[in-house]
Amino acid sequence: MPQAELIDGKAVAASVRDEIARRSRDLLKAQGVKPGLAVVLVGEDPASQVYVRNKDKMAQAVGFHSVKHTLDAGTPEEDVLALVRALNEDPDIHGILVQLPLPAHIDESKVLRLVKPEKDVDGFHPINVGLLTAGERSAALVPCTPAGSLVLIKRTLGPDLSGKTAVVIGRSNIVGKPMASLLLQESCTVTIAHSRTRDLPDVVRAADIVVAAVGRPQMVRGDWIKDGATVIDVGINRIPAPDLGPDKTRLVGDVAFDEALGHAGAITPVPGGVGPMTIAMLMSNTLTAARRQLGLGEDIPAF
Ligand code: GUN
């Protein structure tokens, strides 16, 4: 049985990070400006705390001005909105990220719509969603996880994806829908599959590129994968691992990895695949946002 090539997201993310750090130093030298990233965390969700800490660490590592705002879970909606308004007007801040999920008493879409589109480094504002959907990628800020997934696909298959069949499993606003838009713009023939899709195994079997983003551990089975396909596993699921000891857990993706190894041409591991790319692309978006706000050209490599 063929053994799939592993797509090393950590290594690709490190190369993106080095490139951003270099360009950030150039910007500081030429303009005296550091790209500024503000991350807002409301509440104590442990996974969100880890993500926010990692974003802050990476922002500092690439030479950005990094600000973290931690608000407690009971913070009134109006206070969160006031903070976003202040960050919108702060000239030292070029990128604003509000960590999701927000506590239930806060209207997520109200907060996301208030972020200035040019500072929306998550790419969640309807203006950025619209620009991406309309094919104006060069004017948009693109959500980080799909942007990072596309980099991994191109590193694997080369820059020209035209005519390839792609299946995106999952229709979330954060991953599935923007991923489908990006692949469509690369002239792939794109299917968006979801929980109501009939004959999902057969739909997946037709795909040269499979992006799994459903949040269901090991749902995509190895024999669903066309021989030689490129598999991008966006899922991060914690499952019990009694083989490691009582109460032990492990992280797995949405794809049954061991099975898929015998079918795929290339596959991302979990962890160490898409995850590291998300934060790297956040840095890329922040640099892009800073350059645009300073009236400079893009100067962003396609990675
Ligand atoms: N929570 C889970 N994923 C994301 C993301 O990409 N951005 C933000 N802001 N919150 C998240």
Side-chain angles (χ1 to χ4, degrees):
M1 260 205 191
Q3 183 80 2
E5 169 203 340
L6 285 191
I7 303 172
D8 187 348
K10 258 197 208 165
V12 179
S15 77
V16 171
R17 190 190 54 212
D18 291 349
E19 184 63 25
I20 300 293
R22 193 178 66 70
R23 284 164 192 261
S24 169
R25 276 196 301 276
D26 288 350
L27 186 67
L28 182 61
K29 235 187 270 166
Q31 307 281 330
V33 175
K34 281 184 176 190
L37 173 65
V39 176
V40 178
L41 172 64
V42 188
E44 285 92 38
D45 177 62
S48 291
Q49 284 177 330
V50 173
Y51 291 139
V52 167
R53 201 176 323 125
N54 288 339
K55 287 167 187 168
D56 185 40
K57 267 204 289 203
M58 173 80 88
Q60 299 199 23
V62 295
F64 290 0
H65 167 56
S66 174
V67 184
K68 199 168 79 177
H69 293 272
T70 309
L71 308 177
D72 54 60
T75 304
E77 181 182 87
E78 187 43 50
D79 291 8
V80 178
L81 295 172
L83 173 58
V84 171
R85 275 188 211 103
L87 294 169
N88 276 342
E89 299 311 317
D90 184 341
D92 293 334
I93 295 298
H94 306 99
I96 302 169
L97 181 144
V98 181
Q99 184 66 34
L100 304 179
L102 288 167
H105 68 280
I106 298 176
D107 180 344
E108 211 158 86
S109 99
K110 202 165 160 186
V111 175
L112 297 181
R113 278 167 199 237
L114 186 63
V115 175
K116 269 190 183 171
E118 59 268 35
K119 295 193 177 188
D120 169 38
V121 285
D122 252 333
F124 293 166
H125 190 285
I127 291 275
N128 283 313
V129 175
L131 286 167
L132 174 61
T133 309
E136 295 192 48
R137 204 191 149 174
S138 60
L141 288 164
V142 177
C144 303
T145 300
S149 299
L150 184 64
V151 171
L152 294 179
I153 294 168
K154 288 190 164 185
R155 291 270 177 132
T156 305
L157 293 174
D160 180 12
L161 305 178
S162 68
K164 297 206 179 290
T165 49
V167 170
V168 178
I169 314 171
R171 54 177 154 178
S172 70
N173 292 328
I174 295 183
V175 183
K177 287 180 200 158
M179 186 78 243
S181 291
L182 285 171
L183 290 165
L184 182 60
Q185 241 170 90
E186 298 293 335
S187 301
C188 293
T189 302
V190 183
T191 302
I192 305 177
H194 46 76
S195 55
R196 299 296 178 91
T197 296
R198 293 200 193 134
D199 300 323
L200 182 60
D202 279 345
V203 172
V204 175
R205 274 183 200 114
D208 302 315
I209 297 166
V210 179
V211 180
V214 268
R216 291 178 57 186
Q218 299 164 317
M219 187 196 82
V220 177
R221 310 308 306 236
D223 66 356
W224 300 8
I225 306 291
K226 175 171 156 178
D227 278 347
T230 298
V231 178
I232 304 294
D233 192 349
V234 179
I236 302 178
N237 310 286
R238 193 165 280 288
I239 61 165
D243 52 309
L244 299 178
D247 302 328
K248 292 287 183 194
T249 60
R250 65 157 58 88
L251 289 179
V252 298
D254 291 347
V255 179
F257 180 80
D258 292 343
E259 293 176 12
L261 277 178
H263 297 270
I267 184 168
T268 57
V270 176
V274 174
M277 289 303 292
T278 296
I279 295 185
M281 298 318 286
L282 175 66
M283 301 304 131
S284 173
N285 276 354
T286 304
L287 181 62
T288 299
R291 292 188 61 90
R292 286 181 188 163
Q293 284 160 58
L294 292 164
L296 303 168
E298 283 294 290
D299 189 35
I300 300 296
F303 303 117

